[in-house]
Amino acid sequence: MARPRRKKGVRRRKQEKIDMISQLPDEVLCSIISSLSIDEAVRSSVLSKRWKPLWKRVSCLDFDGRQMIKPLSQLKNSISTSKVTFDPNRATKKDAIKYGKLVYHTLNQHLGDITACRFRHFSQSLDFGEVEAWIEFVVLENKRLSSLSLECEPLIKEVNHMVSDASRKVKPNFQHGIFSNLSSLELTNYALNSSASYAFERCEKLKRLKLKKIFMKDNTVDGILKNCLGLEDFSLVESAGFRKLKIQNQGLKALELQWLVVDEIDVFAENLQDLVLNSLICPTKGLSFFAPNLNFFLSGCNAIAQKIQARSHGQQILKTQDILENCSDLLGSQTTSIFRNLLTLSIDLDLNNIREAMALSFILRSCFYLKTLEITLPVGEDSNSNGSSDDCTLPFPNSLFWDRQEMYNCINHQLKYAKINGFTGKEQEVKFVKHLITRANMIKRISVICDTSIVDEATSLLSLPRASVYLIITLEAKIKKHLNEVAEIQGKLSQLRDIYPF
């Protein structure tokens, strides 16, 4: 007698009852929970008896004061599926004390090894040395700790002072050599005095260091960098207080400098491979780079933000053109060009400005191995709409600039990918893209991103004869959105005026 077939609905319900996650070993579950913030990890203990102790053995701890401290009214009105974010600008002293108690309670209950830890705390936590105590606990009690991130959230009364009023801020008093066993460290929104460099003693193991919104003097910067002999990745972002930045490190491989106002930048890094320069104010003559093995170079500046900064500081805007001219041997200011071995070049540049185009032309003749080229053109009034030569006179019409029969080794034989962002259809832009299409023998893709109003002009490029049989040309039309970007920039600049008060 044949067995009756089970209904599909019954089979489906039984399959739904199988809990695949619970079948995973504890080690895998702990690894999953480690990707959550500590408050979310602790909440996972209510799922079952088996899950209850798992958070105590997670290897990554993330103490985010914005998430851990939430007003009772928000908690009552929140829906389980929606995530409530606490506004740090509304934090009070009581909130900071409550946050400190939660941190202590969690650390004391944790049982496993900690490999990575992040504290996003309120400035009140610095008053009684709580932050230093937490760091000493996770560093000294956990020999496997390799990554540490510290970020200070100012209380509402301190928001308008920012880093500029560094004298009023409580400076952390880190123990000597406290960071010596770390391989990665991030510090955000602190004022560091000269003694802070002692915390970096014996930091030969430190490979990655990021300093953001840090107020410190020249001797503090020098002391930190001199102690980090094994540093490979260094980022300095939106920081102030120092006037000269000198980086000499043979092992450094990646360097990022963003939103700085300085008098001098001197970099000597023979093995540097990646260099990012963004929105810098520095005299051109104060730039000095020795990085003969550079593979990746990115240079950009937000023109609107830079104009406002330059106006308030009375200093010259450092444009990509200035960097290209200074860091190559174009003007004879550098004995060795940093672009000779470049593989990727990503820059903000106005192709309609002949002087800027000449700087790019020289770099392309100097690069022998360039594979990827990305150019972002300026928007709005910053774009050179009339094709001005910027005080440069040529022995031939400007329209023939990219039509000359000069050899660009990297374009003709090496270039694989090119991207033109902000294409407006002006003469020099069209000439340059045409040059890529008709001369680049090995190129595989050219991406042109333009405004919706000039799609027809950009489409005409598709009919040009192509030097490469592999070439694919893609056009992407975008609606103008720089007005929204301006509003975002203005909000950021309100903070920058406090960070750079001179």
Side-chain angles (χ1 to χ4, degrees):
M1 184 175 179
R3 292 183 180 181
R5 293 184 178 180
R6 294 181 180 180
K7 295 182 179 180
K8 292 183 178 180
V10 176
R11 186 184 307 168
R12 188 180 297 112
R13 285 195 297 269
K14 287 190 174 182
Q15 290 176 348
E16 290 175 352
K17 291 181 180 179
I18 300 176
D19 187 359
M20 301 299 294
I21 295 181
S22 295
Q23 295 181 4
L24 297 173
D26 288 355
E27 292 76 10
V28 177
L29 293 178
C30 287
S31 178
I32 295 173
I33 299 175
S34 293
S35 63
L36 305 175
S37 61
I38 190 59
D39 56 308
E40 293 174 331
V42 173
R43 281 198 288 270
S44 69
S45 62
V46 303
L47 297 176
S48 67
K49 290 183 179 180
R50 185 190 173 197
W51 283 72
K52 189 173 182 179
L54 291 180
W55 72 268
K56 298 180 181 181
R57 301 205 306 270
V58 297
S59 58
C60 302
L61 296 179
D62 185 356
F63 298 96
D64 190 343
R66 302 175 307 167
Q67 297 296 327
M68 295 173 66
I69 308 296
K70 297 178 182 178
L72 186 59
S73 59
Q74 286 189 2
L75 290 175
K76 288 181 178 180
N77 297 328
S78 64
I79 304 175
S80 58
T81 56
S82 63
K83 191 172 184 179
V84 180
T85 302
F86 176 63
D87 183 3
N89 292 340
R90 299 174 60 187
T92 63
K93 183 177 180 180
K94 291 183 178 180
D95 292 323
I97 294 174
K98 183 179 179 182
Y99 169 77
K101 290 181 179 179
L102 290 173
V103 171
Y104 279 122
H105 181 71
T106 304
L107 290 176
N108 287 328
Q109 289 203 21
H110 192 271
L111 301 176
D113 291 325
I114 303 174
T115 59
C117 191
R118 175 175 179 249
F119 294 100
R120 191 164 192 172
H121 64 87
F122 305 106
S123 58
Q124 183 68 30
S125 301
L126 291 168
D127 289 344
F128 304 106
E130 284 186 318
V131 176
E132 294 88 339
W134 301 334
I135 297 172
E136 291 175 15
F137 183 89
V138 296
V139 170
L140 300 179
E141 297 294 329
N142 297 273
K143 301 301 182 183
R144 294 183 57 190
L145 185 74
S146 60
S147 178
L148 179 63
S149 176
L150 305 173
E151 181 173 351
C152 179
E153 287 281 0
L155 296 179
I156 187 168
K157 64 180 181 179
E158 298 169 327
V159 170
N160 294 327
H161 295 297
M162 297 298 287
V163 182
S164 64
D165 201 1
S167 60
R168 298 186 181 182
K169 299 190 71 173
V170 179
K171 301 176 178 64
N173 186 22
F174 298 127
Q175 186 182 117
H176 284 211
I178 191 66
F179 303 133
S180 59
N181 288 323
L182 298 177
S183 61
S184 176
L185 176 63
E186 291 188 19
L187 299 178
T188 303
N189 200 17
Y190 294 96
L192 303 180
N193 53 29
S194 58
S195 62
S197 60
Y198 295 122
F200 292 84
E201 288 180 347
R202 305 182 303 279
C203 274
E204 291 83 2
K205 297 180 182 179
L206 192 65
K207 303 298 182 183
R208 178 179 175 272
L209 176 61
K210 182 174 183 178
L211 303 177
K212 183 177 180 180
K213 296 182 180 179
I214 303 296
F215 186 94
M216 52 187 171
K217 299 297 183 180
D218 290 49
N219 57 348
T220 305
V221 183
D222 295 340
I224 291 175
L225 294 177
K226 286 180 180 178
N227 284 327
C228 301
L229 298 178
L231 201 60
E232 296 181 358
D233 187 344
F234 178 51
S235 298
L236 188 58
V237 181
E238 295 182 54
S239 297
F242 51 91
R243 302 305 304 171
K244 296 182 179 180
L245 182 60
K246 190 173 184 178
I247 302 173
Q248 293 187 350
N249 190 312
Q250 294 298 320
L252 195 64
K253 296 180 180 179
L255 176 62
E256 177 186 10
L257 305 176
Q258 296 197 51
W259 294 83
L260 304 177
V261 179
V262 292
D263 295 330
E264 182 180 320
I265 298 178
D266 185 4
V267 177
F268 189 96
E270 188 172 359
N271 294 308
L272 189 66
Q273 297 177 6
D274 299 342
L275 177 59
V276 175
L277 305 176
N278 187 15
S279 300
L280 301 178
I281 288 186
C282 178
T284 306
K285 62 181 181 181
L287 291 177
S288 178
F289 286 88
F290 179 79
N293 295 305
L294 203 64
N295 295 148
F296 175 89
F297 178 78
L298 185 150
S299 173
C301 66
N302 192 295
I304 299 174
Q306 286 284 284
K307 278 190 174 182
I308 297 177
Q309 285 193 64
R311 193 176 299 137
S312 60
H313 299 299
Q315 291 180 306
Q316 182 181 4
I317 299 173
L318 190 59
K319 300 170 64 176
T320 296
Q321 160 209 318
D322 302 320
I323 299 175
L324 295 181
E325 293 176 348
N326 185 274
C327 296
S328 64
D329 50 2
L330 176 60
L331 301 179
S333 57
Q334 297 283 335
T335 56
T336 304
S337 172
I338 67 173
F339 306 108
R340 198 168 299 276
N341 296 307
L342 210 60
L343 299 178
T344 300
L345 178 64
S346 179
I347 54 177
D348 287 356
L349 194 79
D350 188 358
L351 291 171
N352 305 293
N353 184 302
I354 293 301
R355 181 174 176 181
E356 297 190 31
M358 288 179 64
L360 174 62
S361 173
F362 182 82
I363 297 302
L364 293 178
R365 290 198 300 271
S366 304
C367 295
F368 299 103
Y369 311 104
L370 193 67
K371 304 290 185 183
T372 303
L373 174 63
E374 180 175 344
I375 299 176
T376 300
L377 290 111
V379 295
E381 61 181 11
D382 301 291
S383 179
N384 194 337
S385 57
N386 57 10
S388 169
S389 63
D390 195 19
D391 297 329
C392 289
T393 56
L394 300 176
F396 48 83
N398 293 351
S399 60
L400 300 178
F401 183 81
W402 293 108
D403 290 336
R404 296 168 300 161
Q405 297 300 315
E406 294 187 14
M407 286 288 292
Y408 296 91
N409 292 324
C410 67
I411 288 183
N412 290 44
H413 306 297
Q414 299 293 334
L415 195 66
K416 295 292 193 300
Y417 307 98
K419 182 178 181 181
I420 309 298
N421 194 359
F423 183 81
T424 61
K426 295 171 186 174
E427 183 181 25
Q428 293 303 320
E429 299 172 28
V430 174
K431 292 283 187 180
F432 179 73
V433 178
K434 179 181 178 181
H435 184 88
L436 295 179
I437 295 173
T438 59
R439 301 288 183 87
N441 297 315
M442 304 301 294
I443 199 164
K444 294 182 177 181
R445 181 179 293 274
I446 297 177
S447 300
V448 178
I449 302 176
C450 61
D451 183 71
T452 52
S453 60
I454 59 159
V455 173
D456 293 339
E457 290 86 340
T459 304
S460 63
L461 298 171
L462 300 176
S463 60
L464 293 173
R466 308 180 184 188
S468 172
V469 296
Y470 311 104
L471 176 59
I472 297 175
I473 304 175
T474 60
L475 301 179
E476 182 178 350
K478 288 188 175 182
I479 300 175
K480 291 183 179 180
K481 58 179 181 178
H482 62 271
L483 293 178
N484 294 331
E485 294 176 351
V486 169
E488 181 180 350
I489 294 163
Q490 288 175 342
K492 192 177 189 65
L493 287 173
S494 64
Q495 297 180 350
L496 286 174
R497 294 190 187 97
D498 293 327
I499 296 177
Y500 305 115
F502 32 90

